[in-house]
Amino acid sequence: IAIPFRDKNLWGLSDTLGKIVVKPFAKEIKDFLINEDGAFDSRYVIKTNKTYYVIDRNKKVYLPELNTYDSIKLKSNHPNHFWVYKKGLVGLFHKNKEIIPCLYEKVVLTYNDSYIVKKGQVLGLINSLGKLIIPMEYLDISQSWEKNDYENPKFVWIAKGMLVEKNFYDSKIVKKDNDYGSDLKMSTIDVIEEKEVDRKTEALLLKKYDAVQIYSNSIAYVTKNGKKGIVDIFNQEEIIYPIYEEVITYRNKDKKTVYKVKHNGKYGLIQAGNKTILNCEFDAIDYDGVIVKDSKRGMIVLNTIYPYIEPKYNTIKEIKNIKVKDDWWFGLFEVTTEKGKGLVGENGVEFFKD
């Protein structure tokens, strides 16, 4: 894994611990794809004073610097296709050449290594050789799934206009069975038998607390002397002590509920059993994990072995999750400081030097 690393005004690459693997050389790295499972070598969009180009971590060039594009974008499922832009219109660069000029409002990779292109309200289709085989005059273009068409040695497209429907034919690109899409597997839903809450249980709780609100037939939000907590209604145990100004269900960590609590005007995170995840010292904790303290921002990543990212940035947002192992995706965040942008890993490592 090679992550963009900024050293003052230049960008290079480092590993997940911040060790430099490619010395800083670029004015800016605008976009990148990280290698997953060895499927491809990573891609990086490099910005110069005049243009953009694309390389891998070994600086092998995939889209040369000598071009007139205004910007280049990458897509994670297509590491060798580069969407190129000029004067607000998009084209496509693939296999060392521009196969679609920047003439369209949208270019979408579809079946048979072909591309649906849009201009205004109409669509056309460009095949794998870069030839416009369906003219720009239709409202819908799709593969024909009729049995005879599907078994046709040619690839059959159906193009539909306002009052017309027409078939178009192209050479069929031989693909492996799993090249398009994947089998959908139904997820298993654990069905938990709900236990009916006896009114006597609620009445019993009201003898001890000023207010009781039953939640999910298993816990109760309780209030005592103006402070809030949570009680397991079956064993009457206070899983969150009633000492907080606010108690809100937040998210899950290790398949257990995490609660956002407010104490003395500051927010923290805890789990049942009064297990502290974050001390109550933050001005705000957003649902997306952003933590705020003294107008600076950090991040709490719940399902990780690392502590939180300290709140010392002007802004922070998650931009990528990089697969390291089957059960571990490494979170990468874009931050801003007074001196510019940089990247920070979920391990707190800063991939920049100001």
Side-chain angles (χ1 to χ4, degrees):
I1 294 176
I3 296 172
F5 186 104
R6 178 174 62 81
D7 189 347
K8 297 180 180 177
N9 296 323
L10 290 178
W11 290 75
L13 302 173
S14 78
D15 63 16
T16 57
L17 297 178
K19 181 181 178 182
I20 299 297
V21 294
V22 175
K23 292 182 179 180
F25 68 98
K27 176 184 176 182
E28 189 173 356
I29 298 178
K30 291 294 291 184
D31 195 8
F32 61 97
L33 297 176
I34 298 295
N35 180 8
E36 296 177 4
D37 297 332
F40 66 94
D41 205 347
S42 305
R43 304 281 184 266
Y44 306 89
V45 177
I46 308 300
K47 181 180 180 181
T48 68
N49 289 327
K50 296 181 179 180
T51 187
Y52 299 82
Y53 63 101
V54 180
I55 61 173
D56 65 14
R57 63 172 292 168
N58 298 311
K59 293 188 178 180
K60 178 182 176 180
V61 176
Y62 285 82
L63 194 160
E65 186 175 350
L66 293 177
N67 66 73
T68 57
Y69 302 129
D70 299 329
S71 63
I72 301 170
K73 292 185 179 180
L74 308 174
K75 294 188 179 181
S76 59
N77 293 331
H78 311 294
N80 293 316
H81 291 75
F82 310 113
W83 277 256
V84 292
Y85 294 80
K86 189 185 297 184
K87 296 181 179 179
L89 298 177
V90 61
L92 196 95
F93 192 97
H94 181 51
K95 293 183 177 179
N96 300 314
K97 63 180 180 180
E98 181 185 89
I99 63 172
I100 300 177
C102 298
L103 299 174
Y104 304 98
E105 296 168 15
K106 197 169 185 179
V107 175
V108 178
L109 180 59
T110 185
Y111 296 107
N112 207 44
D113 278 0
S114 300
Y115 309 88
I116 294 175
V117 291
K118 180 182 179 183
K119 184 183 290 187
Q121 299 299 315
V122 295
L123 306 175
L125 187 127
I126 295 174
N127 69 4
S128 61
L129 301 177
K131 180 181 178 181
L132 184 70
I133 64 170
I134 300 181
M136 302 293 300
E137 54 189 68
Y138 294 94
L139 301 177
D140 181 74
I141 297 173
S142 61
Q143 178 185 5
S144 173
W145 293 99
E146 294 290 335
K147 183 178 180 181
N148 290 339
D149 290 339
Y150 191 72
E151 294 175 351
N152 193 311
K154 293 285 188 178
F155 197 95
V156 184
W157 297 97
I158 298 178
K160 299 177 182 179
M162 188 69 70
L163 299 173
V164 65
E165 179 176 315
K166 185 177 179 180
N167 284 9
F168 291 85
Y169 301 87
D170 194 21
S171 298
K172 188 175 289 187
I173 305 296
V174 178
K175 289 283 187 179
K176 296 179 181 179
D177 291 341
N178 61 356
D179 275 355
Y180 296 122
S182 59
D183 294 332
L184 296 176
K185 296 182 179 179
M186 295 183 64
S187 59
T188 301
I189 300 176
D190 295 328
V191 180
I192 301 175
E193 182 180 1
E194 294 186 354
K195 300 179 181 179
E196 184 178 355
V197 179
D198 195 321
R199 289 182 179 272
K200 293 181 180 179
T201 302
E202 185 175 354
L204 186 62
L205 288 173
L206 283 170
K207 291 181 179 180
K208 187 176 181 181
Y209 302 100
D210 303 327
V212 175
Q213 181 183 0
I214 303 297
Y215 181 81
S216 296
N217 286 346
S218 58
I219 63 172
Y221 286 86
V222 298
T223 303
K224 186 175 183 179
N225 299 325
K227 301 296 184 180
K228 302 180 185 301
I230 298 178
V231 171
D232 183 320
I233 62 176
F234 299 112
N235 59 23
Q236 308 291 301
E237 179 185 357
E238 290 180 346
I239 59 175
I240 305 295
Y241 296 139
I243 58 174
Y244 300 101
E245 292 120 61
E246 293 180 19
V247 178
I248 303 170
T249 301
Y250 185 63
R251 287 159 57 187
N252 288 336
K253 176 179 173 63
D254 301 327
K255 299 182 180 180
K256 295 180 180 179
T257 303
V258 174
Y259 301 93
K260 182 169 76 170
V261 295
K262 185 178 183 181
H263 185 60
N264 293 331
K266 299 293 183 180
Y267 290 95
L269 298 176
I270 60 176
Q271 284 182 308
N274 299 286
K275 179 183 177 181
T276 299
I277 306 298
L278 276 182
N279 290 325
C280 292
E281 58 181 83
F282 301 96
D283 302 322
I285 301 175
D286 296 340
Y287 186 78
D288 59 5
V290 175
I291 54 178
V292 182
K293 188 175 184 179
D294 299 329
S295 299
K296 295 294 184 180
R297 285 162 171 76
M299 182 71 67
I300 174 68
V301 181
L302 290 178
N303 293 303
T304 183
I305 61 174
Y306 302 108
Y308 62 87
I309 298 172
E310 293 185 18
K312 55 182 180 178
Y313 306 104
N314 295 337
T315 64
I316 185 169
K317 64 179 180 179
E318 185 177 56
I319 58 168
K320 291 186 186 292
N321 281 296
I322 304 166
K323 187 176 182 180
V324 179
K325 298 179 181 179
D326 288 340
D327 58 350
W328 180 26
W329 292 74
F330 183 78
L332 199 59
F333 304 86
E334 181 184 87
V335 300
T336 58
T337 67
E338 283 72 14
K339 295 186 178 181
K341 291 183 180 180
L343 300 177
V344 176
E346 69 175 51
N347 54 359
V349 172
E350 294 181 339
F351 301 101
F352 64 92
K353 292 180 181 178
D354 285 328

